[in-house]
Amino acid sequence: MEIVFSINYRAEWGQRLCISGSSVELGNWDEALALELTATSDDRWEGRVTVDGRRKDIAYYYLVRDAEGRLVHKEWKRMHHLVLDHSYKRVLMDDRWIDRPKNAPFYSSAFYDVFFRHEERMDRAPKSKKEGVKVVMQLYAPCVHPDDKIYMTGNALALGEWSVQDARVMHHLGQGEWSVTLEKDELPPTLEYKFFIRGRDDFSDIRWEEGANRIYRFESAEAYGAVYLAGLCFREGDYMPRYAGTVIPLFGLRSENDWGIGDFGALHQMVDWAAATRQHMLQLLPINDTTYTRTIRDSYPYNIVSVMALHPIYIHIDALPRLKDEALWNELIRRAQELSVREQTDYPAVLALKEEYLHALYRQEGAAVMRKKAFRQFVSSSADWLDSYVAYCYLRDKYDGLPLHLWQEYTWDRAQIERLAAAPELKSEMNYYRFVQFLLHEQLQAVTLYAEHKGILLKGDIPIGVSSHSAEVWLEPALFDTEHTAGAPPDQFAEEGQNWGFPIYRWDVMSRNGFAWWRKRFEGMAAYFKAFRIDHILGFFRIWEVPTKQVSGLLGHFNPALPLTEKEIKEYGFPFDRQFCTLPLIHTDDLQRVFGRYAGEVLVGYLRPFDANYFTLDLKCFYQTDILALDPDSVPGGNDTIAGLMRVATEVCFVIDPEKPGSFHPRISFERTLRYSHLNIEEKRVWQRMSEDYFYKRNDALWKETALSHLIPLLSSTDMLVCAEDLGMIPPAVPEVMEQLQLLSLVLERTPKNLGQDFADMERQPYCSVCTTSTHDMPPMRLWWQQNEALRQRYYTQVLGEEGSAPEVCTPDLARRILMRHLKAASMLAIFPLSDWMALSVDLQRMVPPESEQINHPEDSHHYWCYRMPMTVEALTADCKELNEAISALIRASGR
């Protein structure tokens, strides 16, 4: 069979058009082996391949190279699709170039697998018994309700001659793709046609695609057995479906039979609750394995040790076999019941209990499970990450939480790791970790499928970083800069910025193989989720980089960035002296203020003179890590003095660029330092102008280019709906790129993105956004209302239009009004923390203090993540009828 690919594309001089696809003839997705097309006439390009007569399912996309063979442009995604299941001798694929459509989020698995899920799909198109040329229309229409159908009509009797009642129904092929096969001899030489979606049997509910009628002229069609008109997309117009949901960390769920922490069983029950309250989404925090120290430090869900492995702590015990050792089983159940009733998670105790059970279960059931075909398939399909993870877990436990660099095997390469994972004497120990991951995989996949059938979208979370002691850093150290850690600049929630302790990505190294490491992460996420949140999307533009010898986020700088040279600094008019501007200095007049009555002893023991007016830190405590290593009992003033020394360490004007000698970054928030107060008025004016240019203008083009180079290839590799956390210090490039790529931004009414506003205007938010009332990093709605007297009064007066003094507490009526403002927003998704939904209930407000609802305190890098919802999911479903009816009513009234 010969396939002729034909497409209309206007190329520039010297450019060449190619096809990369899933078949050998198209290079098996290797762009270096892509089929090169030939320019014919009138911007028409053609290419030919010959395939055998067996059934083929070929996916492909078009790309453009310049005269030197460099890639300059390619289609949005791998959307061209050809199923060859009939014995045509010659087929014409008459394609259209597919750029990112204006409603790109619709072309995601969230829409075609969940929101508009069709249980039935055709394995192959029905074969006509009539002889002659077939015309196969292929259309992408992801937003067709399961009870609706899509039709094609036009200027031919076979299409109903524009009668909607006699139009041709199309067949669903899956993933939002539809098809209908027509007879060429029943169509006019110039075909005029259009598509519409029918919602009711009586044709009273029709949604036509927007725009003029489509036109196709048949030329030489008789030379083919079939002509495929492909690359068509339903033109949705202003159709904007909206959905509501809940966000809660998996560890925060509570069920009647849990073992002290949320698990996949509780998530299954939460799906039922969401469906019963008219919601369509559940959003989780990361669920990757964080196990390293087995202490509360591992409770931090963003400090992951594997980008692929699931956390064993989320295993649902009730879905697994009971232990035959009655004494052990009864003892485990007793301990589980004690942990289950606690208000907060006892993370170390829960993990120890579940691991004890899993080890016992492995001894009892492991051999039988590993004989299963499903287990063997899982191990085989996951081998590229599972073998290295298994070896990592074995060594992690062998070295009992020691830092990676103290492992004798730290510098091992992949081949040695694979040999360790397959060592006969370690087979049983290694297979335990495979066994656990298989059980987790099966449980989560079952919940995922159940949620999809219920119309509930599960949304995952991809952390921007990985732990410095992760399997990723151990296995592929070349991808990471471990001399610096990632964090965030200061904001209203963390005045000193944040230092997450994650290593910095080496994006230049990652790009050499097309960001394969990131694509693997996306593929792993797609196994369980149809949507995900990119934690700290700003990290794809630039990351806040802090030297590992420092602790405070104030001593970081952006990477990449264009640092200032000494010449540029002086051109601004700022008096620059390298030592004076880059060393940590404290003025004589400030010693008493910082160190109080111990100032004299600190001056002698921990500081040294810089000049007549300033002192700098002594070499023994020059870096913040050295300061924190001091014994408070041996330091005059103890912890207060250590805190003062930590503050002095941040008293610099500029941070030295580690890669470019003679280049400097203005220290962020320098205006709040003691040193700034010693500048004269002109120096302060110059500093403000220089820092504003640096932080908000100078790097914008660089950050935009960087983000596009990272995000475009990554986003094109996934069908998941992509949402982004874009809060914080937002440069102008961020909204531009977000809009260009149609990423869903995060909208919070109390955290406006426009300067000078107290509150975001919820009536003017973009459709491509997720609106929420709170995040896990901030006080939930009731606590915010209680903590911010001035802001709540302005909100009460300016936003709600009320007179008089605002109530001191956020009453259920106030909560209802705030939630409805978000639900009525144009945002595609409105996803609220469970605690903010619960504010609708008087009884729950009395039962739960607002302070207990905050999940994380980002200013505290050692925060213990131990939040649990105040009742079981069973009780939430069965006993909170007033709350559930209120949620349903709000969603219904909002049109979501």
Side-chain angles (χ1 to χ4, degrees):
M1 179 188 300
E2 183 183 49
I3 306 174
V4 178
F5 297 96
S6 179
I7 189 169
N8 196 69
Y9 182 85
R10 175 159 292 185
E12 296 182 10
W13 180 258
Q15 289 183 340
R16 295 169 290 163
L17 205 61
C18 304
I19 302 179
S20 179
S22 60
S23 68
V24 173
E25 298 83 4
L26 300 179
N28 279 331
W29 298 123
D30 184 347
E31 292 183 355
L33 302 176
L35 172 69
E36 186 170 325
L37 307 184
T38 301
T40 57
S41 60
D42 298 327
D43 300 320
R44 177 65 58 173
W45 295 75
E46 288 190 357
R48 301 163 187 265
V49 298
T50 301
V51 300
D52 58 44
R54 290 174 294 180
R55 183 171 189 247
K56 285 189 177 291
D57 192 330
I58 303 173
Y60 60 95
Y61 62 90
Y62 289 88
L63 56 98
V64 182
R65 299 188 190 282
D66 63 17
E68 286 72 40
R70 294 182 297 248
L71 177 67
V72 294
H73 187 36
K74 66 170 139 182
E75 286 189 292
W76 177 45
K77 285 187 178 182
R78 302 174 176 180
M79 291 179 63
H80 292 284
H81 187 208
L82 171 61
V83 178
L84 294 170
D85 51 10
H86 302 315
S87 55
Y88 303 120
K89 291 184 179 180
R90 204 163 179 241
V91 169
L92 172 65
M93 290 300 298
D94 196 327
D95 283 318
R96 282 115 196 97
W97 181 278
I98 300 177
D99 275 320
R100 180 179 287 102
K102 68 177 184 179
N103 51 5
F106 293 172
Y107 294 82
S108 66
S109 53
F111 278 80
Y112 58 67
D113 278 346
V114 184
F115 295 151
F116 295 93
R117 178 184 179 87
H118 287 255
E119 296 295 341
E120 295 183 5
R121 55 168 288 181
M122 296 193 63
D123 184 51
R124 62 178 66 194
K127 186 176 182 179
S128 171
K129 296 180 180 179
K130 187 176 179 180
E131 297 294 329
V133 181
K134 312 303 177 189
V135 177
V136 183
M137 308 295 297
Q138 291 184 330
L139 173 73
Y140 280 98
C143 294
V144 180
H145 191 274
D147 296 330
D148 297 350
K149 296 180 180 179
I150 190 162
Y151 290 79
M152 177 182 177
T153 189
N155 63 341
L157 184 62
L159 297 175
E161 292 185 326
W162 298 110
S163 167
V164 293
Q165 287 82 2
D166 298 321
R168 288 289 294 272
V169 66
M170 302 188 76
H171 308 289
H172 183 233
L173 301 180
Q175 297 186 328
E177 189 177 9
W178 302 77
S179 177
V180 63
T181 301
L182 309 171
E183 304 294 338
K184 166 63 182 64
D185 61 8
E186 296 178 358
L187 303 175
T190 299
L191 176 64
E192 194 171 353
Y193 63 99
K194 208 166 188 180
F195 302 101
F196 66 88
I197 297 170
R198 189 196 75 182
R200 294 178 184 165
D201 290 337
D202 61 1
F203 289 89
S204 62
D205 182 15
I206 289 179
R207 187 166 94 242
W208 286 93
E209 64 173 345
E210 71 167 4
N213 295 338
R214 300 174 186 259
I215 295 176
Y216 183 77
R217 294 177 176 85
F218 291 99
E219 298 176 1
S220 305
E222 287 70 21
Y224 303 94
V227 176
Y228 285 72
L229 272 63
L232 301 172
C233 297
F234 190 83
R235 304 183 300 235
E236 285 288 1
D238 59 357
Y239 181 63
M240 295 188 293
R242 299 174 304 135
Y243 305 93
T246 295
V247 55
I248 185 170
L250 183 55
F251 60 76
L253 295 179
R254 184 192 292 269
S255 64
E256 290 179 356
N257 297 316
D258 68 43
W259 283 31
I261 198 168
D263 56 33
F264 294 139
L267 181 59
H268 188 285
Q269 294 172 305
M270 200 70 177
V271 168
D272 288 333
W273 173 77
T277 51
R278 299 180 63 91
Q279 300 181 65
H280 284 87
M281 289 193 69
L282 287 175
Q283 177 178 323
L284 305 176
L285 269 58
I287 56 175
N288 300 89
D289 192 2
T290 62
T291 308
Y292 199 77
T293 66
R294 291 184 169 83
T295 65
I296 63 173
R297 289 163 56 192
D298 291 353
S299 69
Y300 182 22
Y302 291 89
N303 194 32
I304 59 176
V305 300
S306 171
V307 298
M308 303 295 287
L310 300 174
H311 204 311
I313 206 167
Y314 297 129
I315 196 79
H316 178 213
I317 304 295
D318 269 12
L320 298 173
R322 175 189 177 113
L323 296 182
K324 296 176 182 178
D325 184 334
E326 287 292 328
L328 176 59
W329 175 252
N330 291 332
E331 171 61 17
L332 295 180
I333 290 296
R334 183 191 65 77
R335 288 158 56 192
Q337 290 172 343
E338 291 179 357
L339 293 170
S340 180
V341 297
R342 296 187 182 179
E343 290 186 7
Q344 296 182 326
T345 299
D346 186 338
Y347 183 93
V350 170
L351 180 60
L353 181 64
K354 287 200 168 185
E355 287 192 319
E356 187 174 351
Y357 165 82
L358 287 169
H359 277 287
L361 183 68
Y362 176 63
R363 293 190 295 270
Q364 174 180 302
E365 308 285 341
V369 168
M370 289 186 289
R371 285 194 296 268
K372 292 182 178 180
K373 181 180 178 181
F375 176 82
R376 296 195 303 272
Q377 289 177 335
F378 170 73
V379 170
S380 175
S381 63
S382 308
D384 64 328
W385 67 268
L386 186 59
D387 287 347
S388 57
Y389 168 76
V390 164
Y392 167 86
C393 289
Y394 166 74
L395 294 172
R396 173 200 64 196
D397 296 346
K398 173 183 175 181
Y399 290 107
D400 196 22
L402 285 176
L404 283 179
H405 67 272
L406 296 180
W407 293 9
Q408 294 178 16
E409 296 86 351
Y410 174 60
T411 58
W412 279 20
D413 59 26
R414 186 178 290 272
Q416 291 172 303
I417 291 168
E418 290 173 352
R419 283 197 293 272
L420 175 67
E425 68 274 16
L426 300 176
K427 183 177 180 180
S428 180
E429 291 179 81
M430 295 294 188
N431 275 337
Y432 165 75
Y433 303 108
R434 294 187 177 96
F435 168 80
V436 171
Q437 285 301 311
F438 170 69
L439 297 180
L440 291 163
H441 164 75
E442 284 212 315
Q443 287 192 356
L444 180 54
Q445 199 165 65
V447 177
T448 297
L449 293 174
Y450 180 73
E452 290 175 11
H453 283 283
K454 298 282 285 188
I456 303 298
L457 176 67
L458 293 185
K459 180 182 174 186
D461 194 334
I462 289 189
I464 187 60
V466 298
S467 173
S468 59
H469 50 244
S470 65
E472 317 299 327
V473 175
W474 176 61
L475 181 63
E476 301 188 80
L479 300 181
F480 305 93
D481 170 11
T482 55
E483 296 300 313
H484 298 85
T485 61
D491 59 26
Q492 60 179 307
F493 305 109
E495 290 187 357
E496 283 225 354
Q498 299 175 47
N499 184 344
W500 303 323
F502 306 144
I504 304 295
Y505 295 126
R506 295 191 184 275
W507 288 101
D508 57 333
V509 178
M510 290 180 164
S511 67
R512 293 171 190 167
N513 62 358
F515 303 103
W517 186 84
W518 274 99
R519 285 189 280 109
K520 181 178 74 172
R521 292 188 72 176
F522 285 6
E523 290 168 6
M525 177 72 72
Y528 311 111
F529 300 101
K530 304 300 184 184
F532 70 96
R533 166 188 179 270
I534 299 180
D535 169 51
H536 196 66
I537 187 70
L538 294 174
F540 288 87
F541 292 77
R542 78 292 190 272
I543 199 70
W544 189 248
E545 178 180 288
V546 182
T548 53
K549 292 183 178 180
Q550 307 290 11
V551 176
S552 173
L554 294 172
L555 292 172
H557 65 87
F558 288 122
N559 180 9
L562 301 172
L564 297 168
T565 63
E566 180 177 344
K567 179 182 177 183
E568 288 177 307
I569 296 170
K570 290 180 176 177
E571 286 174 350
Y572 274 103
F574 192 80
F576 184 84
D577 173 83
R578 180 186 174 99
Q579 281 199 314
F580 181 80
C581 287
T582 61
L583 285 176
L585 301 177
I586 182 171
H587 197 277
T588 303
D589 295 346
D590 297 320
L591 288 171
Q592 192 73 25
R593 176 180 174 182
V594 174
F595 298 107
R597 63 191 181 91
Y598 298 101
E601 294 174 83
V602 172
L603 183 63
V604 173
Y606 300 94
L607 302 176
R608 56 189 174 90
F610 174 78
D611 62 16
N613 297 314
Y614 285 92
F615 292 85
T616 188
L617 292 169
D618 189 78
L619 292 177
K620 66 183 177 185
C621 58
F622 191 78
Y623 298 106
Q624 290 187 315
T625 51
D626 299 327
I627 298 171
L628 289 180
L630 297 173
D631 180 5
D633 293 334
S634 64
V635 176
N639 286 321
D640 289 340
T641 293
I642 288 176
L645 293 172
M646 292 288 283
R647 178 177 182 179
V648 172
T650 67
E651 292 281 324
V652 298
C653 305
F654 292 89
V655 174
I656 299 173
D657 189 277
E659 302 292 334
K660 300 175 182 177
S663 298
F664 311 91
H665 303 268
R667 207 222 79 171
I668 197 165
S669 299
F670 180 65
E671 297 84 352
R672 299 177 185 172
T673 64
L674 297 170
R675 291 186 63 177
Y676 183 79
S677 65
H678 294 282
L679 300 181
N680 61 42
I681 294 177
E682 177 60 19
E683 288 170 341
K684 289 178 180 177
R685 186 187 65 79
V686 169
W687 179 272
Q688 290 171 357
R689 180 167 59 89
M690 177 178 61
S691 62
E692 182 177 346
D693 285 347
Y694 175 82
F695 286 112
Y696 295 100
K697 300 175 183 177
R698 178 182 179 91
N699 295 290
D700 206 53
L702 170 64
W703 292 337
K704 181 176 182 179
E705 178 185 351
T706 299
L708 291 174
S709 69
H710 295 164
L711 289 169
I712 287 177
L714 291 176
L715 297 177
S716 66
S717 70
T718 182
D719 281 347
M720 290 183 288
L721 179 65
V722 183
C723 309
E725 184 271 293
D726 56 336
L727 303 178
M729 189 175 178
I730 306 297
V734 174
E736 293 176 17
V737 170
M738 296 275 287
E739 183 176 359
Q740 179 179 336
L741 301 182
Q742 295 187 56
L743 299 177
L744 272 62
S745 63
L746 184 61
V747 173
L748 284 101
E749 186 176 38
R750 57 171 137 140
T751 311
K753 292 186 169 76
N754 296 328
L755 295 176
Q757 289 186 335
D758 286 332
F759 308 102
D761 186 347
M762 298 308 294
E763 296 179 2
R764 300 193 177 192
Q765 296 309 313
Y767 177 63
C768 283
S769 65
V770 180
C771 70
T772 187
T773 46
S774 316
T775 74
H776 60 270
D777 282 332
M778 61 178 63
M781 187 165 61
R782 287 198 299 146
L783 184 58
W784 172 82
W785 187 275
Q786 182 174 294
Q787 289 178 338
N788 296 270
E789 181 179 355
L791 273 177
R792 76 166 177 248
Q793 183 61 53
R794 287 202 290 274
Y795 187 89
Y796 190 69
T797 304
Q798 299 171 13
V799 178
L800 298 182
E802 298 289 347
E803 297 180 353
S805 299
E808 294 184 2
V809 297
C810 182
T811 63
D813 180 62
L814 285 170
R816 182 177 293 104
R817 294 175 67 180
I818 295 171
L819 291 169
M820 181 55 89
R821 286 183 52 78
H822 289 74
L823 287 168
K824 284 188 173 180
S827 302
M828 179 191 297
L829 309 177
I831 312 175
F832 307 140
L834 179 63
S835 57
D836 288 357
W837 280 124
M838 288 167 52
L840 294 169
S841 168
V842 175
D843 293 337
L844 291 177
Q845 283 209 14
R846 291 171 180 162
M847 182 174 73
V848 185
E851 295 79 9
S852 69
E853 295 180 328
Q854 185 160 350
I855 295 170
N856 179 40
H857 291 269
E859 71 280 3
D860 178 8
S861 60
H862 302 291
H863 176 72
Y864 183 16
W865 297 65
C866 55
Y867 167 83
R868 301 194 77 194
M869 59 188 288
M871 80 285 289
T872 64
V873 182
E874 293 92 338
L876 176 66
T877 303
D879 301 336
C880 299
K881 293 182 179 180
E882 182 181 355
L883 169 65
N884 297 335
E885 289 172 1
I887 294 173
S888 297
L890 280 175
I891 294 174
R892 186 188 309 109
S894 70
R896 291 186 179 269

